[in-house]
Amino acid sequence: MWCGRSVGQAILVCTLFAFSNAETGNKSSTWKAAGCGDDIIRGVNLGGWLLLEPWITPVYFEEVNIGDLQDKIVDEWTYAEFLDIDTYLERMINHWSTFVTREDLEKLAEAGISHVRVPVGYWYWDVDEGEPFPAPNMDETDEFSPLFYLKRALVWMDELGLQASMDMHSGPGSQNGYDNSGKRGEVHWVDDTYPENRYNIDRSVRIVDQMTQTMREWVDSGVIKIETLYGIGILNEPHICGYESGNKYKDVCLQDFYPKAYDAVRKYFNAEETNVVMDIASLGFGDYVGLFEEPTYSGVVLDAHSYQCFGGANHWAEEADGWDKHMAESCRLGSDISGSPLDVFTGEFSLAVTDCQEYLQGGFVTPYDPVDSSDEACSYYNGDLMNYDESHKEFLQKYFLAQLDSFEAGERGVGWYMWTMKVEGSAGPEWDFLYLWENGIIPKDLCSREHICN
């Protein structure tokens, strides 16, 4: 399809063609949504699949951190940098083709899951000189292209009635310095050279445009139905706009990048077709008052992540009444969400109460020494779920339900996505939705669950 591969007037024609389809609705009369039929998002993330994180796939990283490479391959950037291109592609293709299966998605639909958040790396659409990634392979029919596996998964979701929220999980230069940005270390998505240097911000807008254009092409060509695409997440966890800079760069997100990325999505999809998802950027809901309001903006949803295993909440695991504190906090979260001026989904949460999961905080380093948790806490919480005592299992069951009560509450809480669908070899059970579901921690039917919070 030529659309988007030409320049000048052809791009204008392509855009007009996209909106002519939008005006006719491009709706399917046969598509049936998965889930509970109540418009609440009940979702999971495909974490660690199209963007590597060592704690999700620990063995996958340990296998290459040998000899002179020990502790050097710590994220996807270094995976591409230190392995020769043939080895990198061979390993990635095997991972892309096996880590997410149709059977996995069928189980999600059976459980009552309605939505799937799909984190992706920017380098699938754009690679600069000096970056270690292979040049983008835009041929989605080629099994050597990551887009082949993305498209395959979206087709499966389409067939099963699952809705996908695409998520640009990485920003060039790194938007938070975490391995989940693709490159661990210094943050240069924006830095003290801004506003004179805004290269990575503008590049991010272009990449959001490219990703959205791919989705438009797949909808228009009938690969997936428009109903399958819930939203486009423009950038995951740009914490440099929030706590990492002491809010110094808050307006880089709120007044600069977010409006431009919104416009990039709206070139291809109107608000009736799909949502624009904006990460809260570790800011408060109050920071969004008066922003992204109708009629200038529409179809905007905030993505707020909620973890009780980092920072102050982590230490509750060391206290006798720690579980009670986690339950109280889980129920309290709904009041925060109710104060949002915009609709909110909780795009990430888990059942973890410590950072004991190997390589979770601080990244891949051997031996792994959790930043916030004691050896005593890790000996208790980092074990085999099947060997947990009944009171521990009961806590996990109620902890999950209490968080859901908050995430689904009020006019603004539109639902949740658990992080994540699976962890390699069930190495981190508190993070592994399918493992928890198969072993009775998560209800077999999310549509008829118990409620915990008043």
Short mmCIF file of all heavy atoms in Angstrom, two decimals, residues 64-114:
data_model
loop_
_atom_site.label_atom_id
_atom_site.label_comp_id
_atom_site.label_asym_id
_atom_site.label_seq_id
_atom_site.Cartn_x
_atom_site.Cartn_y
_atom_site.Cartn_z
N VAL A 64 23.00 -14.42 27.66
CA VAL A 64 23.96 -13.64 26.86
C VAL A 64 24.92 -12.85 27.74
O VAL A 64 25.91 -12.30 27.22
CB VAL A 64 23.22 -12.69 25.89
CG1 VAL A 64 22.45 -13.50 24.84
CG2 VAL A 64 22.28 -11.74 26.62
N ASN A 65 24.66 -12.75 29.03
CA ASN A 65 25.57 -12.07 29.94
C ASN A 65 26.62 -13.05 30.45
O ASN A 65 26.63 -13.45 31.61
CB ASN A 65 24.80 -11.44 31.10
CG ASN A 65 24.27 -10.06 30.77
OD1 ASN A 65 25.00 -9.07 30.81
ND2 ASN A 65 22.99 -10.00 30.39
N ILE A 66 27.51 -13.43 29.56
CA ILE A 66 28.54 -14.42 29.88
C ILE A 66 29.90 -13.90 29.41
O ILE A 66 29.99 -13.08 28.50
CB ILE A 66 28.24 -15.79 29.22
CG1 ILE A 66 28.06 -15.63 27.71
CG2 ILE A 66 27.00 -16.42 29.83
CD1 ILE A 66 27.88 -16.94 26.97
N GLY A 67 30.94 -14.38 30.06
CA GLY A 67 32.29 -14.00 29.66
C GLY A 67 32.50 -12.50 29.73
O GLY A 67 32.16 -11.84 30.72
N ASP A 68 33.05 -11.93 28.65
CA ASP A 68 33.33 -10.50 28.60
C ASP A 68 32.07 -9.64 28.61
O ASP A 68 32.14 -8.43 28.85
CB ASP A 68 34.15 -10.16 27.35
CG ASP A 68 35.55 -10.74 27.40
OD1 ASP A 68 36.01 -11.08 28.52
OD2 ASP A 68 36.18 -10.87 26.34
N LEU A 69 30.94 -10.26 28.35
CA LEU A 69 29.67 -9.52 28.31
C LEU A 69 28.93 -9.52 29.64
O LEU A 69 27.84 -8.97 29.75
CB LEU A 69 28.75 -10.09 27.22
CG LEU A 69 29.24 -9.95 25.78
CD1 LEU A 69 28.24 -10.56 24.81
CD2 LEU A 69 29.50 -8.49 25.43
N GLN A 70 29.52 -10.12 30.67
CA GLN A 70 28.84 -10.20 31.96
C GLN A 70 28.42 -8.82 32.45
O GLN A 70 29.24 -7.90 32.53
CB GLN A 70 29.74 -10.86 33.00
CG GLN A 70 29.08 -11.07 34.35
CD GLN A 70 27.93 -12.07 34.29
OE1 GLN A 70 28.08 -13.16 33.72
NE2 GLN A 70 26.79 -11.70 34.84
N ASP A 71 27.13 -8.68 32.74
CA ASP A 71 26.52 -7.45 33.27
C ASP A 71 26.58 -6.27 32.30
O ASP A 71 26.37 -5.12 32.70
CB ASP A 71 27.16 -7.04 34.60
CG ASP A 71 26.78 -7.97 35.74
OD1 ASP A 71 25.85 -8.78 35.56
OD2 ASP A 71 27.42 -7.90 36.79
N LYS A 72 26.82 -6.55 31.01
CA LYS A 72 26.83 -5.47 30.02
C LYS A 72 25.52 -5.38 29.24
O LYS A 72 25.15 -4.30 28.77
CB LYS A 72 28.00 -5.66 29.04
CG LYS A 72 29.37 -5.41 29.64
CD LYS A 72 30.45 -5.54 28.59
CE LYS A 72 31.84 -5.25 29.18
NZ LYS A 72 32.91 -5.38 28.15
N ILE A 73 24.82 -6.50 29.09
CA ILE A 73 23.58 -6.51 28.33
C ILE A 73 22.43 -6.37 29.32
O ILE A 73 22.02 -7.33 29.97
CB ILE A 73 23.45 -7.79 27.48
CG1 ILE A 73 24.63 -7.86 26.50
CG2 ILE A 73 22.13 -7.83 26.74
CD1 ILE A 73 24.65 -9.09 25.63
N VAL A 74 21.93 -5.13 29.46
CA VAL A 74 21.03 -4.80 30.55
C VAL A 74 19.68 -4.27 30.07
O VAL A 74 18.79 -4.01 30.89
CB VAL A 74 21.68 -3.75 31.47
CG1 VAL A 74 22.96 -4.30 32.09
CG2 VAL A 74 21.96 -2.45 30.72
N ASP A 75 19.50 -4.11 28.77
CA ASP A 75 18.27 -3.57 28.20
C ASP A 75 18.27 -3.92 26.71
O ASP A 75 19.19 -4.59 26.22
CB ASP A 75 18.18 -2.05 28.41
CG ASP A 75 19.46 -1.32 28.02
OD1 ASP A 75 20.15 -1.79 27.08
OD2 ASP A 75 19.80 -0.30 28.64
N GLU A 76 17.27 -3.46 25.98
CA GLU A 76 17.25 -3.84 24.56
C GLU A 76 18.32 -3.11 23.75
O GLU A 76 18.83 -3.63 22.77
CB GLU A 76 15.87 -3.62 23.94
CG GLU A 76 15.77 -4.25 22.56
CD GLU A 76 14.39 -4.72 22.18
OE1 GLU A 76 13.49 -4.78 23.03
OE2 GLU A 76 14.21 -5.05 20.99
N TRP A 77 18.66 -1.90 24.15
CA TRP A 77 19.74 -1.16 23.48
C TRP A 77 21.03 -1.98 23.52
O TRP A 77 21.67 -2.20 22.47
CB TRP A 77 19.93 0.20 24.15
CG TRP A 77 21.03 1.05 23.59
CD1 TRP A 77 22.37 0.88 23.75
CD2 TRP A 77 20.88 2.21 22.76
NE1 TRP A 77 23.08 1.85 23.10
CE2 TRP A 77 22.19 2.69 22.48
CE3 TRP A 77 19.78 2.90 22.26
CZ2 TRP A 77 22.40 3.84 21.70
CZ3 TRP A 77 20.00 4.04 21.48
CH2 TRP A 77 21.30 4.49 21.20
N THR A 78 21.43 -2.42 24.70
CA THR A 78 22.68 -3.17 24.81
C THR A 78 22.55 -4.58 24.23
O THR A 78 23.55 -5.17 23.80
CB THR A 78 23.16 -3.23 26.27
OG1 THR A 78 22.07 -3.62 27.12
CG2 THR A 78 23.68 -1.88 26.72
N TYR A 79 21.34 -5.13 24.22
CA TYR A 79 21.12 -6.42 23.54
C TYR A 79 21.50 -6.30 22.07
O TYR A 79 22.16 -7.18 21.51
CB TYR A 79 19.65 -6.84 23.68
CG TYR A 79 19.45 -8.31 23.96
CD1 TYR A 79 19.23 -8.76 25.26
CD2 TYR A 79 19.47 -9.25 22.94
CE1 TYR A 79 19.05 -10.10 25.53
CE2 TYR A 79 19.28 -10.59 23.20
CZ TYR A 79 19.07 -11.02 24.50
OH TYR A 79 18.89 -12.36 24.77
N ALA A 80 21.10 -5.18 21.45
CA ALA A 80 21.44 -4.96 20.05
C ALA A 80 22.88 -4.51 19.87
O ALA A 80 23.52 -4.81 18.86
CB ALA A 80 20.48 -3.93 19.45
N GLU A 81 23.39 -3.79 20.86
CA GLU A 81 24.74 -3.21 20.74
C GLU A 81 25.83 -4.26 20.84
O GLU A 81 26.81 -4.23 20.06
CB GLU A 81 24.92 -2.16 21.85
CG GLU A 81 26.28 -1.49 21.85
CD GLU A 81 26.42 -0.47 22.97
OE1 GLU A 81 25.64 -0.54 23.95
OE2 GLU A 81 27.32 0.38 22.87
N PHE A 82 25.70 -5.20 21.78
CA PHE A 82 26.80 -6.12 22.06
C PHE A 82 26.69 -7.46 21.35
O PHE A 82 27.67 -8.21 21.29
CB PHE A 82 26.91 -6.35 23.57
CG PHE A 82 27.45 -5.16 24.31
CD1 PHE A 82 26.65 -4.41 25.15
CD2 PHE A 82 28.77 -4.77 24.15
CE1 PHE A 82 27.13 -3.31 25.83
CE2 PHE A 82 29.29 -3.68 24.83
CZ PHE A 82 28.47 -2.94 25.66
N LEU A 83 25.53 -7.79 20.81
CA LEU A 83 25.39 -9.01 20.02
C LEU A 83 25.53 -8.66 18.54
O LEU A 83 25.11 -7.58 18.12
CB LEU A 83 24.04 -9.68 20.26
CG LEU A 83 23.74 -10.15 21.69
CD1 LEU A 83 22.36 -10.79 21.74
CD2 LEU A 83 24.80 -11.12 22.19
N ASP A 84 26.12 -9.55 17.75
CA ASP A 84 26.16 -9.28 16.31
C ASP A 84 24.73 -9.31 15.78
O ASP A 84 23.83 -9.92 16.36
CB ASP A 84 27.06 -10.28 15.59
CG ASP A 84 26.52 -11.69 15.64
OD1 ASP A 84 25.59 -12.01 14.87
OD2 ASP A 84 27.03 -12.49 16.45
N ILE A 85 24.51 -8.65 14.66
CA ILE A 85 23.16 -8.42 14.17
C ILE A 85 22.43 -9.73 13.90
O ILE A 85 21.22 -9.85 14.17
CB ILE A 85 23.20 -7.54 12.90
CG1 ILE A 85 21.78 -7.14 12.48
CG2 ILE A 85 23.93 -8.24 11.77
CD1 ILE A 85 21.09 -6.24 13.44
N ASP A 86 23.12 -10.75 13.39
CA ASP A 86 22.45 -12.02 13.09
C ASP A 86 21.99 -12.71 14.37
O ASP A 86 20.89 -13.26 14.43
CB ASP A 86 23.38 -12.94 12.30
CG ASP A 86 23.63 -12.43 10.89
OD1 ASP A 86 22.79 -11.67 10.39
OD2 ASP A 86 24.67 -12.79 10.29
N THR A 87 22.85 -12.68 15.40
CA THR A 87 22.48 -13.30 16.68
C THR A 87 21.33 -12.54 17.32
O THR A 87 20.38 -13.15 17.86
CB THR A 87 23.68 -13.33 17.62
OG1 THR A 87 24.75 -14.06 17.00
CG2 THR A 87 23.32 -14.00 18.95
N TYR A 88 21.41 -11.22 17.28
CA TYR A 88 20.33 -10.40 17.85
C TYR A 88 19.00 -10.74 17.19
O TYR A 88 18.00 -11.00 17.87
CB TYR A 88 20.66 -8.92 17.68
CG TYR A 88 19.52 -7.98 18.01
CD1 TYR A 88 19.17 -7.71 19.33
CD2 TYR A 88 18.78 -7.37 16.99
CE1 TYR A 88 18.12 -6.84 19.63
CE2 TYR A 88 17.73 -6.51 17.28
CZ TYR A 88 17.40 -6.25 18.60
OH TYR A 88 16.36 -5.41 18.90
N LEU A 89 18.97 -10.74 15.86
CA LEU A 89 17.72 -10.99 15.15
C LEU A 89 17.22 -12.41 15.38
O LEU A 89 16.03 -12.64 15.56
CB LEU A 89 17.89 -10.71 13.66
CG LEU A 89 17.85 -9.24 13.25
CD1 LEU A 89 18.17 -9.08 11.77
CD2 LEU A 89 16.49 -8.62 13.58
N GLU A 90 18.14 -13.37 15.39
CA GLU A 90 17.74 -14.76 15.62
C GLU A 90 17.07 -14.92 16.98
O GLU A 90 16.01 -15.54 17.10
CB GLU A 90 18.95 -15.69 15.52
CG GLU A 90 18.62 -17.14 15.76
CD GLU A 90 19.85 -18.04 15.74
OE1 GLU A 90 20.99 -17.51 15.58
OE2 GLU A 90 19.71 -19.26 15.88
N ARG A 91 17.66 -14.32 18.00
CA ARG A 91 17.10 -14.44 19.33
C ARG A 91 15.79 -13.66 19.45
O ARG A 91 14.82 -14.12 20.06
CB ARG A 91 18.10 -13.95 20.38
CG ARG A 91 19.32 -14.87 20.51
CD ARG A 91 20.25 -14.41 21.63
NE ARG A 91 19.60 -14.50 22.93
CZ ARG A 91 19.49 -15.61 23.67
NH1 ARG A 91 19.99 -16.75 23.21
NH2 ARG A 91 18.90 -15.59 24.85
N MET A 92 15.74 -12.47 18.86
CA MET A 92 14.52 -11.68 18.94
C MET A 92 13.36 -12.35 18.21
O MET A 92 12.23 -12.37 18.70
CB MET A 92 14.77 -10.27 18.39
CG MET A 92 15.72 -9.43 19.22
SD MET A 92 15.27 -9.25 20.97
CE MET A 92 13.69 -8.42 20.83
N ILE A 93 13.63 -12.88 17.04
CA ILE A 93 12.56 -13.53 16.27
C ILE A 93 12.00 -14.72 17.03
O ILE A 93 10.78 -14.94 17.09
CB ILE A 93 13.08 -13.95 14.87
CG1 ILE A 93 13.31 -12.70 14.02
CG2 ILE A 93 12.10 -14.90 14.18
CD1 ILE A 93 14.10 -12.96 12.76
N ASN A 94 12.88 -15.49 17.65
CA ASN A 94 12.40 -16.61 18.46
C ASN A 94 11.55 -16.11 19.63
O ASN A 94 10.50 -16.70 19.96
CB ASN A 94 13.59 -17.42 18.98
CG ASN A 94 13.14 -18.61 19.81
OD1 ASN A 94 12.50 -19.53 19.32
ND2 ASN A 94 13.47 -18.60 21.09
N HIS A 95 11.96 -15.02 20.24
CA HIS A 95 11.21 -14.44 21.36
C HIS A 95 9.87 -13.89 20.89
O HIS A 95 8.82 -14.18 21.49
CB HIS A 95 12.04 -13.35 22.02
CG HIS A 95 11.35 -12.62 23.12
ND1 HIS A 95 11.01 -13.22 24.31
CD2 HIS A 95 10.92 -11.32 23.21
CE1 HIS A 95 10.40 -12.33 25.10
NE2 HIS A 95 10.34 -11.18 24.45
N TRP A 96 9.89 -13.08 19.83
CA TRP A 96 8.64 -12.50 19.32
C TRP A 96 7.64 -13.59 18.96
O TRP A 96 6.44 -13.43 19.18
CB TRP A 96 8.92 -11.66 18.08
CG TRP A 96 9.76 -10.45 18.30
CD1 TRP A 96 9.86 -9.69 19.43
CD2 TRP A 96 10.64 -9.84 17.35
NE1 TRP A 96 10.74 -8.65 19.25
CE2 TRP A 96 11.23 -8.71 17.98
CE3 TRP A 96 10.98 -10.13 16.02
CZ2 TRP A 96 12.14 -7.88 17.32
CZ3 TRP A 96 11.88 -9.31 15.36
CH2 TRP A 96 12.46 -8.20 16.00
N SER A 97 8.13 -14.69 18.42
CA SER A 97 7.23 -15.71 17.87
C SER A 97 6.67 -16.63 18.94
O SER A 97 5.67 -17.32 18.69
CB SER A 97 7.96 -16.54 16.80
OG SER A 97 9.03 -17.27 17.38
N THR A 98 7.27 -16.67 20.13
CA THR A 98 6.86 -17.66 21.13
C THR A 98 6.34 -17.07 22.43
O THR A 98 5.60 -17.74 23.16
CB THR A 98 8.05 -18.59 21.48
OG1 THR A 98 9.13 -17.80 22.01
CG2 THR A 98 8.52 -19.35 20.25
N PHE A 99 6.70 -15.83 22.76
CA PHE A 99 6.38 -15.30 24.09
C PHE A 99 4.90 -14.95 24.23
O PHE A 99 4.34 -15.01 25.33
CB PHE A 99 7.24 -14.06 24.39
CG PHE A 99 7.22 -13.65 25.84
CD1 PHE A 99 7.77 -14.48 26.81
CD2 PHE A 99 6.64 -12.44 26.24
CE1 PHE A 99 7.75 -14.11 28.16
CE2 PHE A 99 6.63 -12.06 27.58
CZ PHE A 99 7.18 -12.90 28.53
N VAL A 100 4.27 -14.56 23.15
CA VAL A 100 2.82 -14.28 23.14
C VAL A 100 2.17 -15.19 22.11
O VAL A 100 2.51 -15.14 20.92
CB VAL A 100 2.54 -12.81 22.79
CG1 VAL A 100 1.04 -12.57 22.61
CG2 VAL A 100 3.09 -11.89 23.88
N THR A 101 1.25 -16.03 22.57
CA THR A 101 0.61 -17.01 21.69
C THR A 101 -0.90 -16.77 21.64
O THR A 101 -1.47 -16.10 22.50
CB THR A 101 0.87 -18.44 22.17
OG1 THR A 101 0.18 -18.65 23.43
CG2 THR A 101 2.37 -18.69 22.37
N ARG A 102 -1.52 -17.35 20.65
CA ARG A 102 -2.98 -17.26 20.57
C ARG A 102 -3.62 -17.93 21.79
O ARG A 102 -4.63 -17.44 22.32
CB ARG A 102 -3.50 -17.90 19.29
CG ARG A 102 -5.01 -17.75 19.14
CD ARG A 102 -5.59 -18.50 17.97
NE ARG A 102 -7.05 -18.40 18.00
CZ ARG A 102 -7.78 -17.52 17.34
NH1 ARG A 102 -7.19 -16.63 16.58
NH2 ARG A 102 -9.10 -17.52 17.44
N GLU A 103 -3.03 -19.02 22.25
CA GLU A 103 -3.56 -19.70 23.43
C GLU A 103 -3.57 -18.77 24.63
O GLU A 103 -4.53 -18.77 25.42
CB GLU A 103 -2.74 -20.96 23.73
CG GLU A 103 -3.25 -21.74 24.94
CD GLU A 103 -2.38 -22.93 25.28
OE1 GLU A 103 -1.31 -23.09 24.65
OE2 GLU A 103 -2.76 -23.70 26.18
N ASP A 104 -2.52 -17.96 24.79
CA ASP A 104 -2.48 -16.98 25.89
C ASP A 104 -3.69 -16.04 25.80
O ASP A 104 -4.37 -15.77 26.79
CB ASP A 104 -1.20 -16.14 25.82
CG ASP A 104 0.06 -16.94 26.10
OD1 ASP A 104 -0.03 -17.94 26.84
OD2 ASP A 104 1.12 -16.55 25.60
N LEU A 105 -3.93 -15.53 24.60
CA LEU A 105 -5.01 -14.57 24.42
C LEU A 105 -6.38 -15.22 24.60
O LEU A 105 -7.31 -14.58 25.11
CB LEU A 105 -4.90 -13.92 23.05
CG LEU A 105 -3.58 -13.15 22.77
CD1 LEU A 105 -3.59 -12.56 21.38
CD2 LEU A 105 -3.35 -12.06 23.81
N GLU A 106 -6.50 -16.47 24.23
CA GLU A 106 -7.75 -17.19 24.45
C GLU A 106 -8.04 -17.32 25.94
O GLU A 106 -9.19 -17.18 26.38
CB GLU A 106 -7.68 -18.57 23.80
CG GLU A 106 -7.72 -18.53 22.27
CD GLU A 106 -7.45 -19.89 21.64
OE1 GLU A 106 -7.00 -20.81 22.38
OE2 GLU A 106 -7.69 -20.04 20.43
N LYS A 107 -7.00 -17.56 26.73
CA LYS A 107 -7.17 -17.64 28.17
C LYS A 107 -7.62 -16.30 28.75
O LYS A 107 -8.46 -16.24 29.66
CB LYS A 107 -5.88 -18.10 28.84
CG LYS A 107 -5.51 -19.56 28.56
CD LYS A 107 -4.17 -19.91 29.20
CE LYS A 107 -3.78 -21.35 28.91
NZ LYS A 107 -2.45 -21.69 29.50
N LEU A 108 -7.05 -15.21 28.22
CA LEU A 108 -7.45 -13.89 28.68
C LEU A 108 -8.95 -13.66 28.44
O LEU A 108 -9.67 -13.20 29.33
CB LEU A 108 -6.64 -12.81 27.97
CG LEU A 108 -5.13 -12.80 28.19
CD1 LEU A 108 -4.50 -11.64 27.43
CD2 LEU A 108 -4.77 -12.71 29.67
N ALA A 109 -9.39 -13.99 27.24
CA ALA A 109 -10.80 -13.80 26.92
C ALA A 109 -11.68 -14.68 27.81
O ALA A 109 -12.75 -14.24 28.28
CB ALA A 109 -11.04 -14.12 25.45
N GLU A 110 -11.24 -15.89 28.08
CA GLU A 110 -11.99 -16.79 28.96
C GLU A 110 -12.11 -16.21 30.36
O GLU A 110 -13.15 -16.37 31.03
CB GLU A 110 -11.30 -18.15 29.01
CG GLU A 110 -12.01 -19.17 29.89
CD GLU A 110 -11.25 -20.48 30.02
OE1 GLU A 110 -10.29 -20.70 29.23
OE2 GLU A 110 -11.60 -21.29 30.90
N ALA A 111 -11.08 -15.52 30.82
CA ALA A 111 -11.08 -14.96 32.17
C ALA A 111 -11.97 -13.74 32.32
O ALA A 111 -12.29 -13.34 33.44
CB ALA A 111 -9.65 -14.60 32.58
N GLY A 112 -12.36 -13.14 31.20
CA GLY A 112 -13.15 -11.91 31.25
C GLY A 112 -12.35 -10.67 30.91
O GLY A 112 -12.86 -9.55 31.04
N ILE A 113 -11.11 -10.86 30.48
CA ILE A 113 -10.29 -9.73 30.04
C ILE A 113 -10.90 -9.16 28.75
O ILE A 113 -11.32 -9.90 27.86
CB ILE A 113 -8.83 -10.18 29.81
CG1 ILE A 113 -8.15 -10.48 31.15
CG2 ILE A 113 -8.05 -9.13 29.03
CD1 ILE A 113 -7.98 -9.27 32.06
N SER A 114 -10.90 -7.84 28.67
CA SER A 114 -11.47 -7.17 27.50
C SER A 114 -10.43 -6.43 26.66
O SER A 114 -10.63 -6.22 25.47
CB SER A 114 -12.54 -6.17 27.95
OG SER A 114 -11.98 -5.21 28.86
#
